[in-house]
Amino acid sequence: KTEIESSKGFGWTNASAGELDWSAFMSAKREELQRINKGYKEGLVNAGVELLEGRGVVKGPHEVEVDGRSINTRNIVIATGGQPSRIPIPGAEHAIISDQLLELESMPKVVTLIGGGYIGMEFAGMFARLGCEVHVVARQELPLAPRFDQEVCEFFAEQCTASAGIHMHMGCNPTEIVRESDGTLTVKLEPKEKKDSGDKESGKADKPSSQGNGSSGSGCSEIRGNQQVVLAVGRAAKTKGLGLEEVGVEMGKKG
């Protein structure tokens, strides 16, 4: 909507935002993904690569089994990608992950994203531009920190609030997600650095439309009225069930 308003200064007199057909949007997204997947498969076949679609399990230093078929090879490369991580807080089961976000049956009017990294901020920007009320909760004081320069993060944070209208709850820890009687979700927060229980807020809930744009630790109370809460707190390696531990592969904290 902001861009459409700005377009008037460039001669666009009849531009309007219109309305988003979420079902058509999802359908177009699925078609595009199918096209991309088909292109990848065709590229592999044209390059002479044998593609085996099934679950692969490492059986030894030079052996992989795919749905009962044994394949011997000189080298084995693990390239299974990652999966969204979850956080161990009460009510986390009420939240969805980024993989589920673009499979929703309807667009949420109010959504909170937990995580200030690039995945969370990409979705925050998208839903804000679609007209949703968007909240972002992050432990760090600035979005995208510390992966990007502080100056970049500061400018980005300004754009999130001033231009996109995103409610930023920086320096906050999510402590619980509660499903209310009306079906909406409440995200309970506390400041990242709490000296003792006496530092807690009085428990008074902040309204989603009026909080969270201040400095670190401000707006750390509650975010009510969410139709969806999204966990965007990083990714973990998808290495479970591949037989790696059984053949003596040493696993790290990230897989």
Side-chain angles (χ1 to χ4, degrees), residues 32-200:
E32 178 62 11
L33 288 179
Q34 291 175 357
R35 183 193 68 79
I36 293 173
N37 288 336
K38 181 181 178 182
Y40 278 130
K41 288 184 178 180
E42 291 177 348
L44 291 172
V45 172
N46 293 337
V49 177
E50 181 182 4
L51 179 61
L52 304 176
E53 297 191 57
R55 181 164 187 81
V57 178
V58 178
K59 292 296 184 178
H62 305 286
E63 182 185 1
V64 176
E65 184 178 277
V66 181
D67 292 345
R69 176 181 172 182
S70 180
I71 302 170
N72 293 312
T73 179
R74 177 180 296 179
N75 299 305
I76 300 174
V77 178
I78 306 298
T80 49
Q83 58 189 356
S85 300
R86 292 184 177 271
I87 52 177
I89 61 172
E93 68 275 9
H94 301 312
I96 62 175
I97 56 178
S98 57
D99 290 352
Q100 300 169 285
L101 191 54
L102 288 178
E103 288 296 336
L104 295 175
E105 295 183 0
S106 60
M107 185 176 70
K109 293 182 179 180
V110 183
V111 58
T112 289
L113 293 112
I114 299 177
Y118 56 87
I119 293 178
M121 296 314 303
E122 281 179 348
F123 279 117
M126 183 190 82
F127 279 100
R129 296 301 186 186
L130 291 176
C132 305
E133 181 177 317
V134 180
H135 297 257
V136 172
V137 177
R139 296 181 70 252
Q140 63 268 32
E141 296 185 4
L142 291 169
L144 304 182
R147 291 181 178 268
F148 294 84
D149 292 341
Q150 181 170 339
E151 194 172 314
V152 173
C153 296
E154 289 175 349
F155 177 77
F156 180 68
E158 292 175 0
Q159 294 301 303
C160 287
T161 55
S163 178
I166 300 171
H167 302 276
M168 307 293 287
H169 306 260
M170 297 288 98
C172 298
N173 275 330
T175 59
E176 186 178 5
I177 302 172
V178 179
R179 183 173 294 282
E180 305 293 352
S181 59
D182 61 358
T184 62
L185 299 171
T186 296
V187 181
K188 295 188 177 184
L189 310 173
E190 68 177 12
K192 180 179 66 174
E193 297 179 358
K194 292 186 64 60
K195 295 180 180 179
D196 53 55
S197 59
D199 291 337
K200 279 190 176 181

